[in-house]
Amino acid sequence: MAVPVAVIVSHGQPGDPEPQEQAIRDLALRVAAEDPGCEIRGATMAMPGALAAACDDDSLIYPMFMAEGWFTGHLLPRELARAGAGGARILPPFGSDSGLAGLVATTAQRAAAAQGWTAADTTLLLSAHGSGRSQASFEMTSALARQVAPRFARAVTGFVEQPPFIAAAARNLTRAVHLPLFALRAEHVLKDLPQALDEAGFSGPRLDPIGLAPEVPAMIAATIRHNILNLK
């Protein structure tokens, strides 16, 4: 069978779609450089016409989302259908990747070591989106925190849109590293997280979102490669 095109898809920023569209296309180029076994494209749902230009019924869709929820289960299939790619195969999202827990732990451990701290004496603060209408983000974040907690003094979670909110979770933390569980650097990462950490008086390292870790393109490429082999 013909090798499909794989398309990395994110939500994007409806009010200002260009920066996030460029970011996902740049990620696609980095994934392509890791030899995933097929052509790689990037598109956001917010950019008019982007899905229709990048996807067709034979595409593999890699959702650059942190949880399997409303966006991946309802909005993405609907938008693919509208783009003429309703038959595209949607893979589990980035937040469900089996390599994510190890990547989170390694990234936070590097940051702790840069401060001269041991991981066993460091608190890991994981921030995520959360939602008032779905528990998908909360459950994914909580499960990830449980997985990585044995490698640190403790792992604490905080959310933008549901309790425990980030400002409350970050308050009074010492010798702590903050790692955002977000796929890209968008509005929440640029505005909401810094405001919450400032409100809490958080003084530890503030890391880039996990989706920007240098290991991510290779991790995505490995997942796509594995799925292509399973298609044959």
Side-chain angles (χ1 to χ4, degrees), residues 122-138:
T122 300
T123 295
L124 173 57
L125 171 61
L126 297 172
S127 64
H129 191 281
S131 173
R133 61 184 179 183
S134 169
Q135 289 297 294
S137 175
F138 179 88

Side-chain angles (χ1 to χ4, degrees), residues 126 136-148 157 159 181:
L126 297 172
S137 175
F138 179 88
E139 291 169 358
M140 183 280 295
T141 305
S142 300
L144 190 58
R146 289 192 296 271
Q147 283 182 271
V148 302
T157 59
F159 301 89
L181 296 181

Side-chain angles (χ1 to χ4, degrees), residues 105-186:
T106 299
T107 301
Q109 286 168 340
R110 277 199 303 254
Q115 300 295 313
W117 305 338
T118 66
D121 294 325
T122 300
T123 295
L124 173 57
L125 171 61
L126 297 172
S127 64
H129 191 281
S131 173
R133 61 184 179 183
S134 169
Q135 289 297 294
S137 175
F138 179 88
E139 291 169 358
M140 183 280 295
T141 305
S142 300
L144 190 58
R146 289 192 296 271
Q147 283 182 271
V148 302
R151 306 191 196 188
F152 299 90
R154 59 175 174 152
V156 178
T157 59
F159 301 89
V160 175
E161 293 193 357
Q162 71 179 94
F165 293 105
I166 295 165
R171 192 165 287 118
N172 299 322
L173 294 184
T174 57
R175 197 170 292 201
V177 171
H178 170 243
L179 178 57
L181 296 181
F182 287 82
L184 298 169
R185 186 185 284 113

Side-chain angles (χ1 to χ4, degrees), residues 2-94:
V3 176
V5 169
V7 186
I8 305 170
V9 177
S10 66
H11 186 270
Q13 186 68 35
D16 184 19
E18 289 284 353
Q20 290 303 308
E21 182 70 18
Q22 189 60 54
I24 205 69
R25 291 183 180 182
D26 289 345
L27 174 60
L29 290 175
R30 294 194 295 273
V31 172
E34 298 291 339
D35 191 23
C38 69
E39 181 183 351
I40 303 293
R41 300 172 184 169
T44 65
M45 291 187 281
M47 174 62 75
L51 283 183
C55 308
D56 59 31
D57 279 336
D58 296 321
S59 298
L60 288 177
I61 308 298
Y62 186 97
M64 200 61 187
F65 289 83
M66 292 305 304
E68 295 191 57
W70 185 79
F71 284 108
T72 58
H74 298 279
L75 182 61
L76 180 54
R78 186 187 75 191
E79 294 304 306
L80 286 169
R82 288 178 175 176
R89 181 184 173 198
I90 301 175
L91 303 179
F94 172 67

Side-chain angles (χ1 to χ4, degrees), residues 94 99-108 110 151 179 210 213-216 219:
F94 172 67
L100 186 61
L103 178 59
V104 165
T106 299
T107 301
R110 277 199 303 254
R151 306 191 196 188
L179 178 57
I210 192 60
E215 297 90 345
V216 164
M219 192 169 82

